[in-house]
């Protein structure tokens, strides 16, 4: 089935390609910064090349989306769900490599679910929520321990700083997610209101056109009669009383119409 046919027939979400890719670029930048700071500034030991590979995969997906789809296109609900599920899976991969749910940035699991609740049909949002809960459950069992961080967790200052940083970044990122989606929803609402007004005006003009055509049709007969009689007068025939009465009646009929 051609892609254009699929997009034309599938139900759409409130999520545009441009919005989703911009939000993912933000995630890529944040993940890259966190990975490099944790490895080279804080000296934590973890499989950071694998983390960079997962981050590069998200960047590559963004480039493909921006190259293959118009940025203003609203994604089909199933496609948007699949892309948000990828974001959850990619984040789960990063968390698996960096301590699992003990990593304070596990809070970012909430962002794609929040976006789905605001932009997708309920069944898609519920499916995404269930997927996120399943990934979180797996991370409680399988993960690569971030030993340096777990050891440092006993030192209250470092742990509090990490928790504060993850909360600040996570809340800001989720706020941007929600704000961007809400802005798009307002734009869509304004566009629909403008379209309704334009359709109402068009309907009014069409109604006036119909009335004008009907009036022109009704006026055709009496005006034709008046024209015929007055031409006879112009040709030298004197006006008879019946002709004068006929012209008067036809003029009254025109006024009535």
């Amino acid at each position: 089935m051609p892609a254009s046919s699929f997009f034309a027939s599938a139900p759409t979400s409130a999520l545009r390609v441009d919005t989703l890719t911009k939000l993912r670029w933000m995630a890529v930048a944040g993940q890259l910064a966190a990975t490099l700071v944790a490895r080279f500034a804080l000296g934590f030991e973890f499989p950071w090349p694998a983390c960079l590979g997962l981050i590069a995969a998200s960047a590559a997906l963004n480039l493909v989306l921006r190259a293959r789809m118009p940025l203003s296109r609203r994604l089909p609900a199933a496609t948007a769900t699949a892309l948000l599920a990828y974001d959850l899976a990619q984040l789960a991969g990063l968390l698996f490599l960096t301590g699992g749910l003990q990593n304070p940035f596990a809070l970012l699991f909430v962002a794609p679910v929040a976006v789905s609740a605001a932009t997708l049909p309920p069944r898609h949002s519920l499916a995404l929520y269930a997927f996120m809960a399943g990934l979180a459950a797996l991370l409680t069992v399988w993960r690569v321990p971030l030993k340096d961080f777990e050891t440092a967790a006993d030192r209250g200052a470092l742990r509090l700083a990490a928790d504060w940083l993850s909360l600040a970044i996570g809340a800001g990122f989720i706020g941007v997610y929600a704000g961007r989606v809400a802005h798009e929803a307002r734009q869509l609402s304004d566009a629909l209101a403008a379209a309704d007004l334009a359709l109402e005006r068009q309907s009014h003009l069409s109604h006036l056109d119909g009335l004008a055509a009907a009036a022109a049709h009704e006026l055709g007969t009496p005006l034709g009669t008046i024209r015929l009689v007055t031409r006879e007068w112009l040709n030298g025939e004197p006006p008879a009383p019946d002709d004068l009465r006929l012209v008067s009646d036809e003029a009254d009929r025109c006024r009535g119409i």
Side-chain angles (χ1 to χ4, degrees):
M1 183 179 189
S4 58
S5 174
F6 172 78
F7 286 124
S9 61
T12 56
S13 67
L15 195 60
R16 292 192 310 160
V17 174
D18 185 53
T19 301
L20 186 62
T21 54
K22 283 181 177 178
L23 293 173
R24 188 177 288 117
W25 282 129
M26 290 178 55
V28 165
Q31 291 168 357
L32 181 60
T35 299
L36 295 178
V37 167
R39 177 63 187 89
F40 297 105
L42 300 178
F44 292 148
E45 293 292 338
F46 60 95
W48 62 274
C51 292
L52 294 180
L54 288 172
I55 296 169
S58 285
L61 176 60
N62 252 11
L63 293 175
V64 171
L65 287 175
R66 295 182 75 89
R68 300 291 296 274
M69 297 184 187
L71 296 182
S72 60
R73 169 172 288 166
R74 295 193 178 275
L75 291 165
T79 304
T81 302
L83 291 171
L84 290 173
Y86 164 81
D87 290 333
L88 286 172
Q90 189 258 6
L91 178 59
L94 289 174
L95 292 174
F96 169 78
L97 296 170
T98 55
L101 296 184
Q102 291 183 342
N103 187 325
F105 288 100
L107 172 68
L108 292 175
F109 261 145
V110 178
V113 177
V115 171
S116 72
T119 60
L120 299 178
R123 62 189 181 91
H124 292 269
S125 296
L126 287 174
L128 207 63
Y129 168 76
F131 183 60
M132 182 274 291
L135 290 174
L138 290 175
L139 288 173
T140 63
V141 180
W142 291 290
R143 67 185 188 280
V144 177
L146 192 59
K147 296 179 180 178
D148 294 332
F149 183 76
E150 292 177 4
T151 302
D154 296 331
R155 301 200 297 267
L158 180 59
R159 182 62 192 232
L160 287 175
D163 289 343
W164 174 84
L165 185 61
S166 66
L167 182 62
I169 294 176
F173 191 72
I174 293 169
V176 171
Y177 250 112
R180 182 79 184 183
V181 171
H183 177 67
E184 297 246 336
R186 287 193 297 270
Q187 285 184 321
L188 179 60
S189 177
D190 292 343
L192 290 175
D196 287 341
L197 180 60
L199 288 174
E200 182 179 352
R201 288 177 176 174
Q202 183 63 36
S203 176
H204 182 63
L205 290 175
S206 298
H207 182 62
L208 290 178
D209 287 344
L211 288 176
H217 178 73
E218 291 292 328
L219 286 169
T221 300
L223 288 175
T225 301
I226 292 173
R227 185 168 181 270
L228 178 64
V229 173
T230 54
R231 275 195 171 186
E232 292 178 353
W233 295 345
L234 290 173
N235 290 332
E237 184 176 335
D242 289 341
D243 290 340
L244 291 174
R245 190 177 300 105
L246 176 62
V247 170
S248 177
D249 291 343
E250 294 299 288
D252 289 340
R253 183 179 173 189
C254 289
R255 184 175 59 184
I257 293 171

